[in-house]
Amino acid sequence: MRQQYHFRSIGPDTHIWDVNKLLASTQSLPVEDVPLDAIQELNEAYWYDLGGDAPTCRSIANHIALVQAADLTYPILLCPAGKVIDGMHRVVKALLLKLPHIQAIRLPTLPTPDFVNVSPDDLWYED
């Protein structure tokens, strides 16, 4: 899986989690069916809300390609409050397929972030 991070604004700070580390911690957690209507991020500027990327036609096309390639056999990852940590492209694919639910794993607690207030450009990504 390509290296990914989850960014969340908490007060004046940006908290950042290594998604691969979070997923590794979910091996013993149950999978649940979550109604798509319960996923609030479908009504938000999820990929664009932190200001790092603009919704240009190229950016949207890149997200469309990721949605098309998304594999719904893998559950999405939710925080304890039900916010999407990983899997928004799968959520959008499920929406386009008009599925009523998506499989999800919900973290019982949100661990300490791996980084705080680090620029995305300073994080490690595979080339």
Side-chain angles (χ1 to χ4, degrees), residues 48 83 91-92 97:
Y48 304 105
K83 299 287 240 169
V91 171
V92 172
L97 293 172

Side-chain angles (χ1 to χ4, degrees), residues 14-94:
T14 300
H15 290 206
I16 306 162
W17 290 267
D18 180 326
V19 171
N20 291 338
K21 283 175 59 178
L22 290 175
L23 290 173
S25 73
T26 66
Q27 300 304 314
S28 64
L29 297 177
V31 175
E32 61 182 271
D33 281 337
V34 174
L36 286 183
D37 289 345
I39 299 178
Q40 292 302 306
E41 290 86 348
L42 283 170
N43 302 312
E44 299 171 0
Y46 183 79
W47 294 305
Y48 304 105
D49 63 353
L50 292 178
D53 192 14
T56 63
C57 293
R58 184 174 308 279
S59 172
I60 292 168
N62 288 336
H63 282 292
I64 290 170
L66 291 169
V67 167
Q68 289 173 328
D71 185 346
L72 295 177
T73 61
Y74 295 99
I76 65 171
L77 182 61
L78 302 175
C79 77
K83 299 287 240 169
V84 175
I85 291 175
D86 178 58
M88 199 61 200
H89 293 105
R90 284 170 273 161
V91 171
V92 172
K93 185 171 193 167

